[in-house]
Amino acid sequence: SIGMMPGGIITGFVSDFFGGRRAAVIGVFMCTLFVFLFIFSICSETLNTVVLLAMLGMMGILVGGPNNIITSVVAADLASHPSVRGNNKSLGTVTGLINGTGAITASLGLLAIGPLSKAYGWSAIWVFLMGCTAAGTLLMSPKIYQEI
């Protein structure tokens, strides 16, 4: 959670630096997050505390940045879409759907952590999060490809 705020600022800054290519920046952040999760899945039990905390902070930035950009900037982008332009009710509904969907999927993910860790240990949690990261990145891939 500590990395969420700086993650949003860093992602926004990097996105602006690259001409507003938010999806491409989010894709890079998510791929980097995947690498960190892979490292955690292999050696989280053996990392020293300083390295562990530094990696967790970096992962917070890598998660928080895309989360903040998707939930805020996407809603602003939708405001300029012809089907929503000038209709504040639609914009509020779309923003609520984006945030609500994220909250529901996060809750479902949290429900999986207990049974997974009990059955397979903590390394399975990191593999599960790698799968979630890969799925999210794949869902964004058409937009990423469009920006590249």
Side-chain angles (χ1 to χ4, degrees), residues 12-35:
F13 178 79
V14 173
S15 170
D16 290 345
F17 183 78
F18 286 106
R21 293 187 209 162
R22 290 181 288 277
V25 172
I26 288 170
V28 170
F29 272 51
M30 297 297 279
C31 289
T32 306
L33 175 64
F34 188 88
V35 171

Side-chain angles (χ1 to χ4, degrees), residues 14-146:
V14 173
S15 170
D16 290 345
F17 183 78
F18 286 106
R21 293 187 209 162
R22 290 181 288 277
V25 172
I26 288 170
V28 170
F29 272 51
M30 297 297 279
C31 289
T32 306
L33 175 64
F34 188 88
V35 171
F36 273 84
L37 290 168
F38 178 74
I39 293 167
F40 255 68
S41 72
I42 295 171
C43 55
S44 63
E45 305 285 332
T46 59
L47 291 172
N48 75 36
T49 306
V50 174
V51 174
L52 185 69
L53 290 174
M55 286 184 72
L56 285 170
M58 278 299 299
M59 287 194 293
I61 289 169
L62 294 169
V63 169
N67 177 62
N68 291 334
I69 295 298
I70 289 169
T71 58
S72 61
V73 177
V74 169
D77 286 349
L78 288 172
S80 64
H81 192 272
S83 66
V84 180
R85 190 175 303 147
N87 187 347
N88 289 338
K89 278 185 170 181
S90 296
L91 183 58
T93 301
V94 169
T95 303
L97 285 170
I98 291 168
N99 286 325
T101 303
I104 289 169
T105 54
S107 299
L108 293 174
L110 287 173
L111 288 174
I113 289 176
L116 276 175
S117 66
K118 185 181 271 187
Y120 304 106
W122 275 101
S123 61
I125 302 304
W126 304 116
V127 174
F128 170 70
L129 292 173
M130 286 168 55
C132 293
T133 301
T137 306
L138 287 173
L139 288 170
M140 288 217 39
S141 63
K143 183 67 175 165
I144 294 168
Y145 180 76
Q146 181 184 1

